[in-house]
Amino acid sequence: MKTQLCALVALLLLFVTTGQAQQPAPLITNLEGRQTIDLNGPWQTIVDPYETGYYDYRYLPSPNGYFKNTKPKSPSDLVEYDFDTSPQLNVPGDWNSQDQKLLLYEGTIWYKKSFDYHKNEQSRLFVYFGAANYLADVYLNGQKLGQHEGGFTPFNFEITPLVREKDNFLIVKVDNKRRRDAVPTLNTDWWNYGGLTRDVSLVEVPNTFIQDYFLQLKKGSMDEIAGWVKLSGARAGKSISIEIPEANAKQVVTTDASGYAPVSFKAKLNLWSPGNPKLYQVKLTSGSDAVNDRIGFRSIDTRGTDILLNGKPIFLRGISIHEESPLRAGRAFSEDDARQLLTWAKELGCNFVRLAHYPHNEHMTRLADEMGVMVWSEIPVYWTILWDNPETFANARNQLAENITRDKNKASIILWSVANETPVGEARLKFLKGLIDHARMMDSTRLLTAANERHYADATTQMIDDPLGEYLDVLGCNEYVGWYDGVPEKADGLTWKVAQNKPLIISEFGADALFGNHGDKAARFTEEYQKDLYEHQIAMLRKIPTLRGMSPWILTDFRSPRRPLPRIQEFYNRKGLISNRGARKQAFYVLQNFYRELEKEGK
Ligand code: GCU
């Protein structure tokens, strides 16, 4: 009791004295396995392009910013903002697709949500954000909780000392301005959707609770579950029970001084795979806290140029996907959005998806677990990041850590990707090796990859020899032979050389086609051109001996600020096999047939 009181006092003091932006609290794993109250729905918002709600006219942070939610106390009182009469935006949701005026808006929008809350005496309360793009400053009842950077990973703050019975006001300053030193950096080929893009929830937990856990098969084992459990608010000697009733397996472990306990026990398991996406009910209890999860157990490994799932070689029949709602042209955030995208991928014949270029929402990875779809999960280290900047590295590493923390118990996730199309160079290699080491430290069970580039060794020889490949388990390569590089037939005469004796995934290839735009197959942007490109690509890729998977670019057309071509692109990247209205293009069936053939070949 005494220690928790000290912790709470320390927390309160920190809030009151520093006001400094502090980091979120350690991430709580598996919110879905807990009782929560969501704060979703309409939020009051103030669009603030000049950040008047944060800085004074000297551009110094103002102590009386919009986070104070000040109300005039008398008619002569001067207050030049009022959340409660301001427009609303829905949460979860990006602001760009909710209001045409905000389609291209990049800057700050303030969000306010009021709520009453009766908290039990002996418990703690956290506010959890699924994601906020890009920089979020969070306040409760006028007090700064902290700041989070990164638009695609979850974060939470403890609000125990600050919450009150009535009229709490939670205020979030969300800024999606692009910065050179950020992750991603200034240019991306996807829409910079801003806002509270995923669920916001309140979660009440006992003073000592199960904050985080990692339960997967030990590397190389088919029957030993290994991992750990971490309690928050606990000291040594606390017992935690981990139970898998259906497998008749259970272990009780005891915490060390930091509330941490390693886990290791044998169990006879029905292993997870696309053909058998078996998930087990897992119960964790400690003191008065309990959390339930549904976890699949499978082993993933490489042997030479093979990828082994549960010890057997597999071929990854994949497709790349952006986190965009298929038919609403906004950030996807719901279970329905995820189910629609994964259902289309399965219709294509996929057993694998590349979630590009950033961590997608948790509905996506949970459904991949349920639907038996293997996942490539990536952080937005995209194109040319500031490799020499230590803050940029710390930011990228933090996004990686948050991604792994959220999804490390998901059987569907087989690959962590640390980068996409980044330029070969010393600083970049050091940066990415640092991320790879961090990922391996956090998770020794999964494979590391990155989407790298290729170059010509001579006129007809493609070379994959990125030095980063030395540090990866699986090589990823994006190639646009026939689109940015020549015309589709060019693929016919090419051979591929791969420097590292490792499994290869062609993580991108493709061509733009506007659905319904028909013409000669040599005419770009026609369905015939895209179809022809897929046919030549498939013939070429079939000949690469170490090819163990592919994720063509891309399942559906998606918004991109880099694609202005009138009447064709209209700010959409049209490389989808499905249009942004859900229509299948001719190339969709070319790939579907190919995947059917592979399935017949047992691949
Ligand atoms: C790149 C990149 C994608 C982009 C695609 C394209 O390879 O990784 O983000 O959308 O090419 O140009 O269509």
Side-chain angles (χ1 to χ4, degrees), residues 86-129:
S86 294
Q88 295 181 329
L89 283 171
N90 279 323
V91 171
D94 62 274
W95 60 60
N96 314 70
S97 62
Q98 291 191 55
D99 180 337
Q100 192 54 28
K101 295 194 299 302
L102 298 174
L103 181 61
L104 284 160
Y105 180 67
E106 293 186 300
T108 282
I109 293 188
W110 294 83
Y111 286 76
K112 193 248 332 167
K113 187 77 172 179
S114 295
F115 63 94
D116 300 340
Y117 194 89
H118 172 69
K119 187 182 77 62
N120 297 324
E121 265 308 297
Q122 290 308 321
S123 68
R124 299 162 68 186
L125 189 65
F126 291 78
V127 58
Y128 183 101
F129 296 84

Side-chain angles (χ1 to χ4, degrees), residues 224-363:
E224 184 182 344
I225 292 175
W228 47 266
V229 185
K230 173 90 176 57
L231 298 185
S232 170
R235 291 286 165 268
K238 283 272 177 196
S239 84
I240 309 167
S241 140
I242 302 106
E243 202 181 344
I244 310 179
E246 200 187 336
N248 206 5
K250 179 173 182 175
Q251 184 177 41
V252 178
V253 294
T254 308
T255 56
D256 65 14
S258 70
Y260 174 91
V263 171
S264 165
F265 60 98
K266 291 268 184 187
K268 199 160 172 0
L269 298 160
N270 184 351
L271 298 181
W272 183 97
S273 68
N276 172 46
K278 172 66 184 169
L279 299 177
Y280 283 89
Q281 186 82 20
V282 178
K283 291 184 180 177
L284 296 98
T285 49
S286 180
S288 60
D289 193 32
V291 60
N292 288 313
D293 206 340
R294 300 175 64 229
I295 300 180
F297 298 97
R298 53 96 193 91
S299 90
I300 188 74
D301 215 333
T302 61
R303 184 183 55 212
T305 58
D306 281 339
I307 300 174
L308 306 177
L309 176 69
N310 301 331
K312 297 196 191 69
I314 53 166
F315 188 91
L316 303 173
R317 303 187 309 269
I319 192 77
S320 293
I321 301 180
H322 256 303
E323 188 188 40
E324 202 166 84
S325 161
L327 304 173
R328 190 172 38 81
R331 261 283 164 247
F333 59 74
S334 69
E335 186 170 332
D336 289 350
D337 290 337
R339 193 176 296 285
Q340 180 66 83
L341 291 165
L342 291 176
T343 302
W344 282 348
K346 292 202 82 166
E347 184 199 333
L348 200 48
C350 294
N351 60 5
F352 171 66
V353 291
R354 176 184 176 210
L355 302 183
H357 292 291
Y358 38 76
H360 289 210
N361 63 76
E362 200 173 351
H363 293 297

Side-chain angles (χ1 to χ4, degrees), residues 454 456 479-491 509-534 537 563 565-569 574-575 585:
R454 36 99 217 189
Y456 280 88
E479 52 90 3
Y480 280 91
V481 173
W483 184 252
Y484 298 123
D485 172 10
V487 291
E489 305 78 73
K490 185 172 185 179
F509 71 83
D512 280 59
L514 175 65
F515 174 74
N517 182 29
H518 294 290
D520 183 84
K521 66 179 179 148
R524 286 186 182 259
F525 299 108
T526 61
E527 288 193 49
E528 286 75 14
Y529 189 106
Q530 188 188 47
K531 174 174 178 284
D532 186 45
L533 180 130
Y534 268 75
Q537 280 286 327
R563 312 292 171 172
L565 187 60
R567 289 187 303 285
I568 297 282
Q569 294 177 322
R574 298 285 183 196
K575 292 190 180 69
K585 303 176 191 177

Side-chain angles (χ1 to χ4, degrees), residues 189 322 357 382-383 420-421 478 480 484 508 553 558 563 573 575:
D189 192 29
H322 256 303
H357 292 291
Y382 181 90
W383 288 346
N420 180 75
E421 293 187 356
N478 296 356
Y480 280 91
Y484 298 123
E508 288 184 36
W553 195 258
F558 62 95
R563 312 292 171 172
N573 181 311
K575 292 190 180 69

Side-chain angles (χ1 to χ4, degrees), residues 354-355 357 359 375-381 400 403 413-420 435-436 439 447-452 472:
R354 176 184 176 210
L355 302 183
H357 292 291
V375 170
W376 162 310
S377 174
E378 184 163 291
I379 55 169
V381 174
L400 179 67
N403 188 27
I413 301 210
I414 58 170
L415 290 153
W416 300 120
S417 168
V418 293
N420 180 75
L435 294 180
I436 291 167
L447 307 175
L448 268 291
T449 191
N452 294 328
L472 301 174

